[in-house]
Each structure stands twice: as C-alpha cells, then as structure tokens.
Amino acid sequence: MEHHMNAEIRPALDPKEFRTALGSFTTGVTVITARAGDGTAVGLTANSFNSVSLDPPMVLWSLSKKAQSLPAFTTTRHWAVHVLAADQESLSDRFARRGEDKFAGLALESGHEGVPLLKGCSARFQCKTSFQYEGGDHIIFVGEVVAFDRCEHPPLAFHAGRYAIATQKDPSLPKPRSARLAGSFSDDFLGYLLGRAHFQFYQSIRENARAQGLSDPQWFVLATVTVKDGVSAQEVDEAIAYSLGEPSGPILDSLVASGWLERSTRAAAGAVTFRLTEDGRDRALHLLAAAKSLEADTLGRIGYADGAVLKTLLQKFIHSTNPGLPDLWGDA
Ligand SMILES: Cc1cc2nc3c(=O)[nH]c(=O)nc-3n(C[C@H](O)[C@H](O)[C@H](O)COP(=O)(O)O)c2cc1C
C-alpha cells in the first residue's frame, strides 16, 4: 500500500532544530530588488539564492508567502540579485526589516526595465522570471540572467544564523616542517605563530623607532601619549603596563630629557601629565604614519578579506585571553 505524506505519518520535526540544521549550510547574503506595478521600489534580504544553469544562465531564490513584497515579485518579471560584499552588513539588516522605506538615502542605479540597483556589491545579476513554483510557505522564482556585473569586493557570508567573513584555504602555504613536529609544540603552536607574526610585523617599526633613538618601551609609551595627549604616568601604567612590564614614570622622564615630551599639569587632576613637544609631535606622527602604512602594505599583501578575518580573530583571541586588563582608553 502506498504511503502518503500527511500530518499523521510525517516524522515529528523540531522546527527550531530544522532551522539550526539548515544554518550549517553556509551561504552568501543577497538583496533582491524589483519595481512594483505602481513604480515603487521593493527589495528584501535573501540567502535562498542559488545558481541553477549555465546555459541558459539561470538562478533561483525563494520568497516567503508572508513577505510584503510578494505581490510585487509575482506581478513583475524583472528583478535583480545583489550579492552583498563583506562591508555591506548594514544593507542586509536594512532590507531584512519590513515596513520602512528601505531605499531611503541610498545611491541607486537603474537597471533593466527600471529595476533599482544597489552599488558596491560583490556581484549583481539582473534577471527575468522564467518559472515560478510552489515551495511550501515560500514561492520559488527561477530567473534567466539577462545581465550581470561583479567586482573584487569580498562577499559577506551567513553561517549558523550569523554574518560571517570567509577566508580561503591556501594549499600553497608551507606545512609544519616534519610529521614528527606537526601538531606538537612547534610551528603549529599558537604562541609560536603569534610571536613570529608579531616579530616579523614589528621588525620595520622597530627599525624606524631605533633610527629615532627610541627603545621599545620608549616607543610604546610615546605611541600611547600620541594617541592621548596630556596623560599622567599612572594613566599610562593603567593602559599599557601589560605590554610594558615596567613602570612608565622613568620612561616618560627619559622622553622629556630627549625632547619628545614636556610636563604639563591638568588642573582638575592636579597630577603631573605629559604631552608631546612640537618637535616631538611632528616626529611621533611620522613614526605612526610609517606604522600605519606598513599595516596597509601588509593587509594589501594578504588581501582585504583576510585582513578583516585576521583582525576579527585577533580581537576574539584578545577578548578570550584577557585577564581583566583595561580597554585602551575606552571611548575617550
Ligand atoms: C540573512 C537573511 C536571509 C534571508 N533570506 C530570505 C529568503 O531567502 N527569502 C525570504 O523570503 N526572506 C528571507 N529573509 C527575511 C526577509 O529579508 C525579511 O522577512 C524581509 O523583511 C522581507 O521583506 P518584505 O516583507 O518587505 O518583502 C532573510 C533575512 C536574512 C537576515
């Protein structure tokens, strides 16, 4: 006897678990736009987008039957899929909220049949509906791609219900040196990787500092005073004692002696504070600019997307290993 899938025999399926399981399929994030019959622009965030066919070029996505834009998409045949770039999270949030004018204040372009196009995306596909299918509580749209463009902006990803940034595995990277060492206290050890990365990155910053007659602790303290002028030794200690490893008082004094800093007093605190001399400021800003440009060069070599991934992971790492140290100057 043939079994029909009905409510009685369908295995119990926990909707929350089902969503969670679906979330393990990592996707990009798109915004799909169209123009409703009355000419108003409509759009929504969708990660149900997928490729279907290369020849003819076709893509698909599904739209909730509860979406306010449903009548627009079932009426018009023209729509555009925008693959969002990693820095377009706010566009995704904006187009996932219903109601308000989602397009307010956005710089738009006009596509095929007047479909509103967003800028700065990783890729855009302008499409024309070929088929429309029932898909449970969604409608599935299959469209033929009539035009597309793309740029090198790395894409925004969506994984387990959260925005993500993807880094590509690089098979050309050297493996740990020997099978015996692999995974042991060696090239794979996090401490080694962090230490070596710091050492290599810091090398040329240190050379510049040395050329200006600065030791490492002097450079740390100077960089701190450059970021926040008019600080006391106690404030410097509170902010960077963890990397300095010694009291900042004598270091501040030595920077006064060598003409980088001068003493001042802050009326409210009554404490002795330190600020850059005019010449000191000039030279310190040059050093900081060189450090920033080294950062830009390094990020340029590893790529914007991996730079963003690296910074995110280092922030997570710092947060998870923080023994209760202060935020560097908080919001000041
Ligand atoms: C990452 C993400 C992916 C989404 N994917 C879809 C989707 O594929 N289909 C859909 O109908 N809604 C999807 N949504 C929800 C819609 O964006 C949201 O319900 C939107 O408010 C619908 O707009 P509308 O009601 O103005 O049409 C998604 C939301 C997010 C944040």
Side-chain angles (χ1 to χ4, degrees):
M1 201 181 85
E2 196 177 284
H3 284 283
H4 293 282
M5 288 297 263
N6 59 34
E8 282 77 49
I9 62 162
R10 187 185 294 162
L13 198 148
D14 178 345
K16 229 178 119 208
E17 277 298 309
F18 181 51
R19 277 182 86 107
T20 308
L22 288 176
S24 64
F25 185 61
T26 303
T27 65
V29 181
T30 73
V31 166
I32 303 183
T33 59
R35 218 165 262 292
D38 64 359
T40 48
V42 297
L44 79 156
T45 303
N47 71 336
S48 53
F49 171 74
N50 223 318
S51 54
V52 173
S53 159
L54 292 176
D55 185 17
M58 291 169 110
V59 297
L60 69 73
W61 64 288
S62 58
L63 175 63
S64 165
K65 288 181 182 169
K66 292 195 189 124
Q68 283 175 347
S69 53
L70 182 76
F73 281 105
T74 48
T75 312
T76 181
R77 294 187 65 198
H78 304 279
W79 35 273
V81 180
H82 303 78
V83 177
L84 297 189
D87 61 358
Q88 291 184 309
E89 209 176 299
S90 63
L91 267 190
S92 172
D93 288 339
R94 174 195 275 246
F95 279 91
R97 275 193 292 267
R98 51 172 59 201
E100 65 199 90
D101 179 8
K102 301 181 185 185
F103 292 84
L106 293 182
L108 299 174
E109 286 167 6
S110 182
H112 226 244
E113 304 285 334
V115 173
L117 298 181
L118 308 170
K119 296 183 182 181
C121 306
S122 296
R124 302 188 294 196
F125 301 93
Q126 298 186 56
C127 307
K128 190 173 164 192
T129 304
S130 307
F131 307 101
Q132 205 176 294
Y133 301 104
E134 270 297 307
D137 57 6
H138 280 59
I139 303 267
I140 302 162
F141 291 93
V142 177
E144 177 154 3
V145 178
V146 294
F148 74 92
D149 56 3
R150 66 170 203 98
C151 72
E152 294 300 326
H153 291 187
L156 182 63
F158 195 69
H159 175 77
R162 286 200 184 184
Y163 297 122
I165 30 183
T167 184
Q168 282 166 338
K169 292 194 171 186
D170 185 348
S172 71
L173 284 180
K175 299 267 180 304
R177 270 179 304 232
S178 79
R180 194 175 53 80
L181 286 176
S184 71
F185 195 81
S186 70
D187 340 28
D188 190 44
F189 178 58
L190 188 53
Y192 165 80
L193 294 171
L194 285 169
R196 177 142 186 198
H198 171 79
F199 180 79
Q200 288 182 191
F201 181 72
Y202 198 67
Q203 184 74 23
S204 78
I205 295 178
R206 174 179 286 132
E207 277 164 19
N208 288 338
R210 289 286 185 282
Q212 293 286 333
L214 294 167
S215 66
D216 284 357
Q218 282 177 320
W219 157 249
F220 289 148
V221 170
L222 187 72
T224 308
V225 180
T226 310
V227 174
K228 188 171 177 170
D229 223 352
V231 283
S232 66
Q234 195 191 336
E235 287 169 319
V236 174
D237 284 342
E238 281 167 10
I240 61 164
Y242 59 95
S243 52
L244 212 51
E246 58 187 287
S248 66
I251 304 171
L252 286 159
D253 290 339
S254 72
L255 289 168
V256 172
S258 49
W260 288 88
L261 301 181
E262 60 193 9
R263 290 189 180 80
S264 55
T265 44
R266 204 190 305 145
V272 177
T273 56
F274 295 85
R275 64 174 180 223
L276 289 152
T277 60
E278 208 172 307
D279 178 51
R281 171 170 301 282
D282 203 43
R283 288 157 66 199
L285 289 178
H286 270 96
L287 282 174
L288 286 182
K292 282 304 268 184
S293 103
L294 171 71
E295 181 194 36
D297 285 352
T298 311
L299 291 179
R301 275 197 301 278
I302 68 173
Y304 167 86
D306 277 358
V309 172
L310 179 62
K311 286 188 172 186
T312 303
L313 291 180
L314 286 173
Q315 276 153 2
K316 274 193 191 175
F317 184 82
I318 289 168
H319 186 74
S320 73
T321 54
N322 184 1
L325 294 167
D327 282 345
L328 201 54
W329 305 134
D331 289 331

